[in-house]
Amino acid sequence: MILTFIGSVDRQCVYTTVGDVMALYNVYKTISPRIDDVRIAWSHDLFDLSDRCRRLNDYDAGSFSTMVFVCGPIHEPLRRLFRRFRHAKRIAVGVSVPRGVNPTSFVSACHIRDSDESVSFDLALADISYPHHRLAGDERQEGAAICLVGPQPEYGEDNGSDRAERIIRDATANIPTREVSTLLDLKRRSPTSVEEDLQSSKVLLAHSGASGQSIQQHPVSHSGVSGHCEVTLLSAVC
């Protein structure tokens, strides 16, 4: 079995987020006791799993009987990745399905995180054994950190990121803020450095730009990405 995700094909770390990496790690830890040999298509740091990781192009796709794609939206630009493993059983877990996309045209089986029809648990938030990095409270700045996902054209008319950003900007107009990001990049390929940014202030305001038509506010106490700081999530989900 080989685990893939957006980071498998995003060699410049333009789109890969720490949440993607968390979901990948959690899926590996869940299935590895049941599967003899699980490999990961990722060329950067993954803590104790780094020895299981190699670049996608370093693997012989024909040697795998099962390919699992973790997290992120299923959409047309990923079709080439799935075709690479067309001989294998292809499974997608914890994914978004934008309106009009038929996931069965990509994979044999699909566990949907969010779509027009359903919403389920985000695998990045699973409390399994991901080695979170936590800053002490006295290391955090006053004010709020703002985490915005930016444009997500893959969701078409259902992209709720612009509306969520307006809500956050309005809510923080009169308080000190700094912008942070969940994105990895080539200068900070370690997920630890991203978690440090997300915990840099005593309050974190974030949103998901997932497929959806309504925006809900969810105050969350979460010990994962936020490292116990106060978090408000603005979710655009169906």
Side-chain angles (χ1 to χ4, degrees):
M1 177 182 289
I2 184 168
L3 300 186
T4 66
F5 72 131
I6 186 61
S8 302
V9 293
D10 179 24
R11 288 180 293 181
Q12 297 300 312
C13 284
V14 176
Y15 307 106
T16 308
T17 70
V18 67
D20 295 327
V21 174
M22 289 175 182
L24 181 74
Y25 186 98
N26 287 335
V27 170
Y28 180 94
K29 287 293 186 176
T30 300
I31 65 176
S32 59
R34 302 169 177 83
I35 306 293
D36 289 338
D37 189 16
V38 181
R39 300 290 172 167
I40 302 170
W42 171 239
S43 57
H44 303 305
D45 181 27
L46 199 57
F47 308 107
D48 57 312
L49 304 185
S50 294
D51 64 339
R52 311 299 294 172
C53 300
R54 292 165 59 186
R55 292 186 310 161
L56 178 66
N57 290 340
D58 290 340
Y59 288 112
D60 174 13
S63 66
F64 295 99
S65 61
T66 305
M67 175 266 218
V68 177
F69 181 82
V70 181
C71 200
I74 294 287
H75 61 134
E76 197 60 35
L78 290 174
R79 192 173 293 279
R80 183 177 178 183
L81 171 64
F82 291 107
R83 283 178 177 163
R84 187 185 191 117
F85 294 92
R86 57 188 175 273
H87 64 282
K89 181 181 293 183
R90 286 157 290 144
I91 301 170
V93 295
V95 295
S96 298
V97 180
R99 189 191 302 268
V101 173
N102 177 11
T104 61
S105 70
F106 294 85
V107 295
S108 313
C110 184
H111 172 70
I112 297 173
R113 181 185 66 193
D114 57 90
S115 71
D116 274 355
E117 287 78 32
S118 63
V119 177
S120 64
F121 186 71
D122 190 329
L123 298 176
L125 301 181
D127 187 11
I128 299 179
S129 58
Y130 186 89
H132 291 291
H133 179 76
R134 294 181 173 88
L135 289 181
D138 58 5
E139 297 182 72
R140 297 177 184 153
Q141 303 173 20
E142 295 295 334
I146 296 176
C147 183
L148 305 170
V149 299
Q152 292 186 303
E154 62 268 28
Y155 293 112
E157 295 179 356
D158 293 332
N159 178 12
S161 59
D162 289 344
R163 185 180 173 201
E165 179 173 350
R166 287 195 299 271
I167 292 173
I168 290 178
R169 298 288 189 197
D170 290 345
T172 58
N174 298 316
I175 63 173
T177 61
R178 63 188 302 269
E179 294 199 17
V180 296
S181 175
T182 62
L183 289 169
L184 280 70
D185 59 45
L186 293 179
K187 294 181 179 178
R188 53 172 199 172
R189 286 176 278 197
S190 170
T192 297
S193 62
V194 180
E195 284 199 292
E196 287 182 352
D197 278 357
L198 293 172
Q199 297 173 60
S200 60
S201 297
K202 293 185 177 180
V203 175
L204 170 65
L205 291 120
H207 75 85
S208 71
S211 169
Q213 298 149 31
S214 66
I215 292 183
Q216 302 171 332
Q217 295 193 35
H218 302 285
V220 175
S221 175
H222 174 54
S223 61
V225 181
S226 66
H228 296 294
C229 67
E230 181 182 340
V231 182
T232 296
L233 297 179
L234 297 179
S235 299
V237 296
C238 295

